[in-house]
Each structure stands twice: as C-alpha cells, then as structure tokens.
C-alpha cells in the first residue's frame, strides 16, 4: 500500500469522524426542541445565576440564564431553561419569542437559540474538507 493511499484513507477516516460528530450535535439539538411547537412571547423577569462553577472559582464571571414569564394553555408560567451563559443577550423586561411544549408548558426553548450551531457548522466543515481531501488524494494515488 502506497503512502498516498494511507494518507487518503486517514483523511477519509478523519472526515467521517468529524462529520459524524456534526450529525450527532444536530440530532442532540433537534431532540432538545422536540415537542416545543407552540409559539408565544415571554418576558424576562430576572436573571438566574448558575449554582455551580467548574473548579469552584467564586470570582469567575457568573453564568446566567433568563427566567421567563409567559402564557401557555391559558395559564401563566414562570420557568427557565438550563442553558447558562456568561454573556447573556437578554435583560430584565425584554420580550422574547419562545416555543413551548403543549403537553409540558414548563418546557420551552428560546426561538432562534441553538446551543450547538457553532459545533455543527465547524465539525461539518472540517469533516467535509477532510473527506474531499481524502477523495482527491485517492484519485491522485490511482493515477
């Protein structure tokens, strides 16, 4: 087996692994939104801090998530999700679009928020480039 064929197979393997992770992140992202098909608008009533920090560093920038009040199935719901961030783009009093689960109105996602978007795109691009490079190297090795 020639060196270029080995490199070709390695590139294809790396591409498949990265592509697989991209697909995995997409599936996880889609599952987190499953069932959340009712749209409404909620109001941020306060910002909640995460209870735990990695490394227990109490001087670290606080991890925040918005607590949101909204109407669902004729009831006023106050809830928050578990997506914490150090740079929240929401402020108290903001009105934001959300999607909630009609069978479990406490469960919601903020419309347009995708936790894994960066990972899906990055791993997909790297995987695609590696697969393409592997195919090109494979064609070159057989010429």
């Amino acid at each position: 087996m020639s060196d270029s064929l080995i490199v070709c197979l390695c590139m294809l393997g790396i591409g498949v692994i990265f592509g697989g992770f991209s697909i995995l992140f997409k599936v996880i992202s889609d599952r987190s939104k499953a069932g959340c098909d009712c749209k409404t608008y909620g109001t941020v009533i306060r910002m909640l801090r995460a209870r735990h920090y990695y490394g227990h560093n109490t001087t670290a920038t606080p991890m925040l998530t918005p607590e949101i009040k909204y109407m669902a199935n004729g009831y006023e719901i106050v809830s928050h999700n578990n997506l914490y961030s150090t740079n929240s783009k929401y402020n108290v009093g903001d009105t934001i679009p959300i999607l909630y689960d009609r069978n479990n109105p406490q469960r919601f996602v903020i419309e347009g928020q995708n936790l894994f978007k960066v990972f899906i795109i990055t791993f997909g691009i790297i995987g695609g480039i590696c697969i393409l490079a592997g195919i090109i190297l494979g064609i070159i090795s057989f010429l």
Side-chain angles (χ1 to χ4, degrees):
M1 197 181 290
S2 70
D3 289 343
S4 61
L5 187 57
I6 291 171
V7 172
C8 159
L9 293 174
C10 288
M11 291 301 287
L12 286 171
I14 292 169
V16 168
I17 290 170
F18 273 88
F21 275 112
S22 178
I23 292 168
L24 176 67
F25 287 129
K26 176 70 172 142
V27 168
I28 291 170
S29 176
D30 289 347
R31 283 192 156 199
S32 71
K33 297 176 188 175
C36 295
D37 56 358
C38 296
K39 183 175 180 176
T40 190
Y41 288 87
T43 303
V44 177
I45 57 173
R46 70 181 174 145
M47 298 303 292
L48 299 174
R49 289 176 152 233
R51 293 187 187 139
H52 305 287
Y53 296 96
Y54 293 109
H56 306 287
N57 182 356
T58 56
T59 61
T61 304
M63 302 287 284
L64 303 170
T65 191
E67 185 172 48
I68 300 171
K69 179 172 63 172
Y70 56 97
M71 295 297 292
N73 300 335
Y75 297 97
E76 184 176 88
I77 307 290
V78 175
S79 187
H80 70 279
N81 59 26
N82 290 320
L83 299 178
Y84 289 84
S85 174
T86 56
N87 57 349
S88 178
K89 61 182 177 180
Y90 308 108
N91 296 308
V92 174
D94 287 353
T95 300
I96 55 176
I98 63 169
L99 299 169
Y100 68 90
D101 184 344
R102 78 177 76 238
N103 297 320
N104 181 9
Q106 294 280 86
R107 190 173 162 272
F108 73 93
V109 293
I110 297 172
E111 190 176 48
Q113 188 178 48
N114 189 343
L115 175 66
F116 295 110
K117 185 176 186 177
V118 171
F119 296 116
I120 293 167
I121 292 170
T122 303
F123 280 76
I125 289 172
I126 293 171
I129 290 170
C130 289
I131 289 172
L132 184 62
I135 291 170
I136 292 170
L137 287 172
I139 290 171
I140 291 171
S141 71
F142 285 112
L143 295 179

